[in-house]
Amino acid sequence: MNKDFKMVATTMFGLEGVLAEELKNLGAKDIEESIRSVSFKGDVGFMYKANIALRTAIRILKPIKVTKIYDEEDLYDSVKKIKWENYLDVDGTFAIGAVSNSKNLPNHSHYIALKSKDAIADYFRDKFDKRPNVDLDYPDLKIHIHINKDLLTISLDSSGDSLHKRGYRTATNIAPINEVLAAGMVLLSGYTGDENFIDPMCGSGTILIEAAMIANNIPANINRKHFAFENWKDYDEDLYFTIQDALLKKIRSSHFKIMGFDKAPSAVQKAKDNVISANLEEFIGVHHVNFFNSTKEVFGKTTILFNPPYGERLNVDTQEFYKKIGDTLKHNYPGSTAWFITSDIEALKHVGLRTSKRLELRNGDLNCKFVRYDLYEGTRKMKPRKNNSDEEE
């Protein structure tokens, strides 16, 4: 009988609540939110399930030691005291990732990783007169060192490559949106597949693909070729495929439209290629359309969700561009709920619509707003805006 143990799922800023809800729906126990992470308990099978199914997790860590340290010597000793042969063969390979936020140790992840690597190498050398090698690309064991003030947590990384690398994206545009962020935005919007969905500036199609996977309850990482736990000494292949099969049996079919537009033929082709790679072409339509010339051609409730170009991706007058977004939504998409993310907070003032919700998110290093606009049928009158700015702060 597998015992439950503590795990930590890391995520992006602003998605902690969404991830906690995902974990709850999967059946996790003792869920606790932190900044950019959520801890929980489950057994080995649940660890496999979390890696395959979670949409807003970046990686799933399994802590194997938590202790207080006060200097570099403590770090070295703490790492060296672990019985590493339980996790890694002397002929195997390993890699270390580190995050440090401490007054007593250098807040330099590379240095912390090097110090920890030395401790593991010395452990094996002392015990077996031989040491495993470091392989940053394809290690047999990936180790995560986290130092917060005086608390050291040593974990095994069960994911390996970041879980945003779903395995379906073959083509990208400039600055494509991260899959975890795309899925998080879809989940934050409340979209579940029971209405139409449009991404009017779809780029390489990431938001469309994540929305279709949510609508049809397809596990987020079903297209992944490999997880780090498959290299672990206690990996149970039969259990893994049992968990995978159980998740596949829960796939459903959504019959509502999921559509993407882009004015660039190259982007349309890339999006189509990625949709085919994700095996979702029967659910997603991608069209060569300029959003500003488009109208709502589907009946009923519709979620519009997009990532407008900004910064280096936007070589136009920003005020005019965002005004056109607002005008197009207001006049051409009644009966819809529109969401978009932007790091250009000033530009939001020129949309000309009042937000019904504003959320804080991060896109890479950029602080962003994820905003919602409710677009009503008919001639609902808007209250006059003040100072040409968005009223809700």
Side-chain angles (χ1 to χ4, degrees):
M1 181 101 177
N2 283 323
K3 289 184 178 178
D4 288 347
F5 52 88
K6 182 177 177 178
M7 289 171 266
V8 176
T10 63
T11 189
M12 303 175 81
F13 176 84
L15 299 182
E16 299 90 348
V18 180
L19 177 55
E21 187 66 21
E22 279 198 272
L23 282 161
K24 178 184 170 187
N25 292 336
L26 271 187
K29 304 169 187 173
D30 298 345
I31 300 166
E32 292 184 18
E33 293 180 37
S34 301
I35 297 173
R36 291 190 294 276
S37 69
V38 180
S39 66
F40 61 98
K41 284 187 178 176
D43 60 12
V44 170
F46 192 85
M47 182 181 72
Y48 298 168
K49 181 160 71 166
N51 274 283
I52 301 167
L54 288 175
R55 305 183 192 283
T56 55
I58 292 171
R59 59 186 70 252
I60 311 297
L61 304 174
K62 179 185 179 182
I64 57 172
K65 184 170 187 175
V66 180
T67 187
K68 288 198 170 186
I69 60 171
Y70 301 100
D71 54 29
E72 297 167 42
E73 193 174 324
D74 283 347
L75 169 65
Y76 176 90
D77 290 343
S78 297
V79 174
K80 195 178 178 188
K81 282 177 183 173
I82 292 172
K83 292 184 177 180
W84 286 107
E85 69 270 26
N86 292 343
Y87 309 106
L88 177 66
D89 289 330
V90 70
D91 295 319
T93 60
F94 69 102
I96 298 176
V99 177
S100 177
N101 176 26
S102 169
K103 290 181 180 178
N104 302 319
L105 287 93
N107 289 329
H108 195 293
S109 58
H110 184 63
Y111 178 81
I112 298 298
L114 271 177
K115 196 76 177 173
S116 303
K117 183 263 297 181
D118 289 344
I120 295 171
D122 290 348
Y123 173 87
F124 277 98
R125 202 178 280 115
D126 290 351
K127 195 160 188 176
F128 302 101
D129 289 327
K130 191 178 179 183
R131 50 153 291 188
N133 290 320
V134 171
D135 183 340
L136 299 179
D137 296 320
Y138 304 104
D140 295 321
L141 187 70
K142 194 163 185 179
I143 300 155
H144 186 78
I145 305 291
H146 185 269
I147 303 170
N148 185 28
K149 296 178 182 175
D150 60 358
L151 195 67
L152 166 69
T153 304
I154 304 170
S155 304
L156 306 183
D157 181 347
S158 73
S159 305
D161 277 345
S162 167
L163 292 176
H164 85 274
K165 295 182 179 179
R166 309 284 205 223
Y168 63 71
R169 191 153 70 182
T170 59
T172 62
N173 291 325
I174 300 169
I177 196 161
N178 179 293
E179 290 86 339
V180 163
L181 179 57
M185 293 193 304
V186 175
L187 292 170
L188 283 168
S189 79
Y191 173 77
T192 59
D194 57 355
E195 60 184 78
N196 302 306
F197 185 95
I198 299 173
D199 178 349
M201 298 181 184
C202 71
S204 55
T206 305
I207 292 173
L208 292 172
I209 292 169
E210 294 298 326
M213 294 180 88
I214 288 167
N216 296 283
N217 203 35
I218 298 168
N221 289 300
I222 203 65
N223 292 299
R224 281 260 296 213
K225 298 288 189 288
H226 184 76
F227 298 100
F229 60 70
E230 294 177 59
N231 294 334
W232 290 7
K233 289 190 168 191
D234 62 355
Y235 173 54
D236 186 334
E237 186 177 58
D238 290 340
L239 177 60
Y240 172 76
F241 283 113
T242 299
I243 296 292
Q244 186 185 72
D245 288 345
L247 288 167
L248 290 173
K249 285 175 183 172
K250 293 180 179 178
I251 291 175
R252 57 177 180 251
S253 287
S254 170
H255 302 293
F256 289 86
K257 296 272 190 183
I258 299 175
M259 295 183 294
F261 307 152
D262 207 284
K263 69 175 186 176
S266 60
V268 171
Q269 189 56 54
K270 286 173 184 174
K272 286 181 176 180
D273 290 346
N274 288 333
V275 168
I276 291 169
S277 177
N279 300 308
L280 293 170
E281 59 266 39
E282 69 177 288
F283 302 109
I284 300 171
V286 185
H287 310 282
H288 180 209
V289 173
N290 185 335
F291 169 58
F292 298 136
N293 300 328
S294 71
T295 57
K296 183 184 177 187
E297 296 182 3
V298 289
F299 294 104
K301 288 174 61 181
T302 300
T303 294
I304 301 168
L305 198 159
F306 58 116
N307 173 33
Y310 44 82
E312 294 177 5
R313 298 165 61 217
L314 184 60
N315 298 315
V316 297
D317 183 292
T318 305
Q319 294 184 17
E320 179 64 22
F321 183 78
Y322 276 78
K323 181 180 183 299
K324 284 172 74 175
I325 288 176
D327 289 345
T328 305
L329 290 173
K330 180 165 55 178
H331 297 302
N332 298 1
Y333 285 88
S336 304
T337 302
W339 294 80
F340 67 81
I341 186 171
T342 183
S343 66
D344 196 336
I345 311 306
E346 279 299 305
L348 280 177
K349 296 177 180 179
H350 302 281
V351 173
L353 297 169
R354 183 178 303 167
T355 54
S356 57
K357 189 172 278 190
R358 281 189 178 210
L359 302 172
E360 304 272 349
L361 291 176
R362 281 269 181 87
N363 187 1
D365 295 330
L366 298 173
N367 292 319
C368 296
K369 287 280 195 294
F370 185 46
V371 294
R372 167 177 161 164
Y373 300 98
D374 296 316
L375 309 164
Y376 299 96
E377 298 273 7
T379 57
R380 178 186 169 101
K381 290 187 177 179
M382 298 293 293
K383 292 181 181 178
R385 289 176 288 111
K386 299 174 184 176
N387 302 324
N388 195 35
S389 67
D390 207 314
E391 289 193 355
E392 184 180 322
E393 295 300 329

